Amino acid sequence: MATEPFGNTMRSLSLLIITLSALPHYAYSYCVYNKHSDDTSLDVRQYYDPAQYTNPFHKAIDAGGSECCPYNVYDCNPLGHGQLDPLKLWIARVSNKQEITRFSVTLPSGGYVIVDGDKVHHTVAVKNPDGTNYPTIIEYDVDFSLLNQD
């Protein structure tokens, strides 16, 4: 009988592990990672239709930082958790308060964008939730005046 509490604890722990492993492997609609090796920051805005969205994602991300938009927020994931609704982000690379480059990318809900490099060179990778490459077209010199401003 002395081993019974240990057995209950192990069963509870096993049940917890099984429950956690059944949860989705991503808890965000999408994330953006700034992997620049210098002081280049990113100004990231989610493109949106004001008739549909009330509070779109808009973040400044310092070099080495990241920001995510939660899956349970309608503006981040309009079709709901688990849907691969293509979203569009407008990204400006900024250094010393001056814009270097601006571009837009599309990505799936649950996916992520990695912007790497320095002031002169950069790469952009867009990934599916499972880490595989997402086929996106990167559009440069996007007219941000078309984007609704906060």
Side-chain angles (χ1 to χ4, degrees), residues 14-123:
S14 297
L15 182 59
L16 177 64
I17 291 170
I18 290 168
T19 302
L20 290 176
S21 66
L23 293 174
H25 68 277
Y26 56 92
Y28 298 102
S29 179
Y30 59 85
C31 294
V32 179
Y33 298 90
N34 182 352
K35 299 290 186 179
H36 280 85
S37 60
D38 56 16
D39 67 345
T40 302
S41 63
L42 302 176
D43 180 16
V44 181
R45 296 170 185 258
Q46 181 178 331
Y47 175 80
Y48 72 103
D49 175 354
Q52 290 183 309
Y53 300 92
T54 56
N55 189 21
F57 183 82
H58 178 205
K59 299 287 182 178
I61 306 171
D62 291 332
S66 65
E67 290 285 346
C68 297
C69 202
Y71 76 87
N72 59 349
V73 173
Y74 174 81
D75 291 323
C76 298
N77 189 9
L79 294 183
H81 180 60
Q83 299 294 323
L84 296 180
D85 180 21
L87 301 161
K88 187 172 207 170
L89 298 181
W90 299 32
I91 301 174
R93 296 173 58 242
V94 179
S95 181
N96 297 323
K97 299 183 182 181
Q98 297 222 339
E99 185 179 292
I100 303 170
T101 311
R102 61 180 153 191
F103 56 91
S104 68
V105 297
T106 55
L107 73 156
S109 291
Y112 54 99
V113 178
I114 302 168
V115 184
D116 200 349
D118 56 33
K119 289 179 184 85
V120 180
H121 300 74
H122 73 280
T123 60

